[in-house]
């Protein structure tokens, strides 16, 4: 397999394995653990461009990038070109009210989310039903990124945050799409070409339709068709559950990179494995139970540091189910964690599965 770098505009990804944006999951804790395991690029949870337009502080809380993280992209959702352009302008800048000192390396437009409340607003995968609007959204975001790179720094104004930034290279704009909206529909090539014409620096394609959600098998042949039709990089997504799957997707489709979603849940080692296999090495040994629990504890402690123990106790429950999948006694622990409200008690329950874990 060729080992060329993945170039997204001016940003270079050396190992082409990316953590997908996942609502309620890819916070700072999740991103940092996956980047340390080998993910060359991670993404925030979906960020509402409209929320930024109206100055919603909860929306802004999704944008903080930790010093311990690798490169991070912001994934935005919306369907109004003006509002999306405003989001790119603001988030290209140095206004610390949202993201602190660290900046994203790119902006990604979500045109694939299948969730009904998103689709009803004409956002997410609904954009696949209006490719002219998809083009306009991407074009507006690209223009905003270009303009933001030329703005002279100035003080933040009152009201809505200023888009003024320190001059820099424009951050690339990418888009994530699905094969189509309806179950048997395939508009991926047409949508991807529209994105490329609008200025997108890369396209990620999930090989399912919106109506499929995550059912059935992802259509990797669709990814191959998109790759053949475009001159910009294509990133494949769907049914990558181990490092070997990531390499197989690249071989079968010719895609330039692989975005991993469900395969990374409770399993940051998937990136380590994919990188090793790409280097021609043997797959590393699977993590022992003690290593899995140690990682779960690290994950929990990072959420505690970022969000406080009360929030962390609630949020770690779903992760505990993923990390302990298949472990002896895991079902009992999963039942327990759903009733625990104390952080130290949560740690003690985890250690019952692997007493030596730290």
């Amino acid at each position: 397999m060729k080992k060329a770098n993945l170039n997204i505009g001016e940003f270079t990804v050396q190992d082409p394995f990316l953590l997908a944006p996942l609502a309620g999951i890819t916070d700072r804790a999740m991103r940092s653990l996956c980047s340390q395991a080998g993910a060359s690029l991670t993404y925030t949870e979906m960020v509402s461009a409209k929320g930024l337009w109206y100055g919603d502080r909860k929306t802004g809380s999704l944008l903080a990038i930790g010093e311990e993280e690798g490169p991070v992209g912001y994934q935005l959702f919306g369907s109004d070109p003006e509002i999306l352009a405003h989001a790119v302008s603001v988030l290209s800048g140095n206004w610390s009210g949202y993201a602190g000192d660290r900046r994203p390396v790119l902006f990604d437009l979500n045109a694939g989310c299948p969730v009904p409340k998103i689709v009803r607003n004409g956002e997410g995968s609904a954009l696949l039903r209006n490719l002219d609007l998809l083009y306009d959204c991407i074009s507006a975001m690209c223009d905003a990124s270009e303009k933001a790179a030329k703005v002279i720094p100035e003080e933040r104004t009152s009201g809505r945050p200023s888009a003024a930034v320190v001059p820099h290279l424009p951050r690339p704009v990418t888009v994530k799409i699905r094969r189509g909206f309806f179950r048997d529909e395939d508009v991926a090539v047409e949508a991807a070409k529209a994105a490329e014409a609008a200025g997108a620096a890369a396209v990620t394609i999930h090989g399912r339709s919106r109506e499929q959600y995550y059912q059935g098998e992802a259509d990797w042949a669709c990814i191959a068709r998109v790759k053949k039709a475009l001159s910009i990089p294509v990133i494949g997504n769907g049914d990558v559950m181990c490092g070997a799957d990531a390499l197989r997707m690249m071989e079968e489709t010719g895609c330039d990179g692989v975005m991993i979603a469900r395969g990374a849940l409770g399993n940051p080692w998937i990136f380590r494995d994919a990188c090793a296999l790409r280097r021609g090495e043997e797959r590393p040994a699977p993590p022992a139970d003690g290593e899995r629990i140690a990682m779960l504890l690290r994950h929990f402690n990072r959420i505690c540091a970022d969000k406080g123990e009360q929030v962390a106790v609630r949020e770690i429950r779903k992760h505990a189910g993923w990390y302990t999948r298949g472990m002896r006694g895991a079902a009992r622990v999963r039942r327990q964690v759903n009733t625990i409200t104390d952080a130290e008690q949560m740690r003690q329950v985890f250690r019952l599965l692997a007493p030596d874990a730290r």
Side-chain angles (χ1 to χ4, degrees), residues 67-81:
E67 291 300 324
E68 73 283 0
E69 295 188 62
V72 177
Y74 284 164
Q75 189 183 69
L76 303 173
F77 72 94
S79 58
D80 185 311

Side-chain angles (χ1 to χ4, degrees), residues 1 31 87 105 120 139 196 213 228 235 240 255 264 278 309:
M1 174 184 292
R31 296 194 306 261
V105 297
R120 281 196 298 268
S139 179
E196 182 176 38
Y213 276 69
K228 187 175 181 179
I235 299 163
V240 176
C255 65
R278 183 171 181 260
E309 291 187 349

Side-chain angles (χ1 to χ4, degrees), residues 43-345:
Y43 292 80
T44 59
E45 305 170 57
M46 288 195 311
V47 175
S48 169
K50 191 176 293 183
L52 293 170
W53 177 267
Y54 290 109
D56 178 66
R57 306 302 301 184
K58 185 176 180 181
T59 297
S61 69
L62 299 174
L63 299 167
I65 302 174
E67 291 300 324
E68 73 283 0
E69 295 188 62
V72 177
Y74 284 164
Q75 189 183 69
L76 303 173
F77 72 94
S79 58
D80 185 311
E82 180 184 3
I83 291 177
L84 284 162
H86 174 262
V88 168
S89 297
V90 169
L91 297 176
S92 293
N94 282 344
W95 189 62
S96 60
Y98 283 131
D101 295 330
R102 289 203 56 190
R103 305 260 65 80
V105 297
L106 58 79
F107 298 102
D108 186 69
L109 174 64
N110 185 306
C113 179
V115 175
K117 68 178 181 179
I118 301 294
V119 172
R120 281 196 298 268
N121 289 330
E123 301 163 341
S125 57
L127 288 170
L128 297 175
R129 303 179 67 181
N130 188 343
L131 298 187
D132 288 340
L133 179 57
L134 176 66
Y135 175 97
D136 290 343
C137 289
I138 296 169
S139 179
M141 292 171 69
C142 292
D143 288 346
S145 184
E146 290 279 351
K147 291 175 182 176
K150 301 173 184 177
V151 174
I152 298 173
E154 61 185 43
E155 294 297 320
R156 181 165 71 91
T157 60
S158 60
R160 191 174 299 147
S162 168
V165 300
V166 175
H168 54 70
L169 289 172
R171 287 172 176 79
V173 173
T174 63
V175 61
K176 186 171 188 282
I177 64 175
R178 283 181 170 243
R179 188 186 67 192
F181 190 87
F182 299 106
R183 183 171 296 273
D184 297 323
E185 182 180 51
D186 187 349
V187 299
V189 170
E190 187 179 359
K193 284 185 174 181
E196 182 176 38
V203 171
T204 299
I205 169 68
H206 182 142
R208 289 183 174 88
S209 67
R210 184 265 170 173
E211 285 191 342
Q212 283 181 277
Y213 276 69
Y214 303 99
Q215 299 173 348
E217 292 185 1
D219 180 6
W220 288 9
C222 171
I223 299 171
R225 291 192 293 273
V226 171
K227 172 58 184 173
K228 187 175 181 179
L230 299 190
S231 59
I232 58 175
V234 172
I235 299 163
N237 174 234
D239 291 351
V240 176
M241 305 305 292
C242 64
D245 286 343
L247 273 291
R248 184 167 60 86
M249 174 181 276
M250 295 186 74
E251 291 169 352
E252 292 185 8
T253 70
C255 65
D256 303 283
V258 176
M259 182 178 283
I260 301 173
R262 289 177 294 167
L265 301 179
N267 184 28
W269 300 276
I270 192 171
F271 296 102
R272 175 202 66 180
D273 294 353
C275 291
L277 293 171
R278 183 171 181 260
R279 292 191 298 266
E281 302 169 1
E282 292 186 6
R283 178 193 171 188
D289 288 356
E291 187 178 358
R292 291 162 66 184
I293 295 302
M295 186 67 78
L296 172 59
L297 287 167
R298 285 179 61 195
H299 200 146
F300 180 51
N301 290 333
R302 285 182 182 273
I303 300 176
C304 287
D306 289 341
K307 305 178 184 180
E309 291 187 349
Q310 187 175 8
V311 173
V313 165
R314 294 195 303 269
E315 293 195 355
I316 201 61
R317 291 168 179 163
K318 55 181 177 284
H319 294 285
W322 295 321
Y323 277 105
T324 63
R325 188 184 298 123
M327 292 176 61
R328 186 174 182 179
R332 173 179 50 81
V333 167
R334 286 195 293 271
R335 288 193 297 270
Q336 285 183 288
V337 300
N338 288 328
T339 65
I340 292 173
T341 58
D342 177 75
E344 188 53 39
Q345 186 181 359

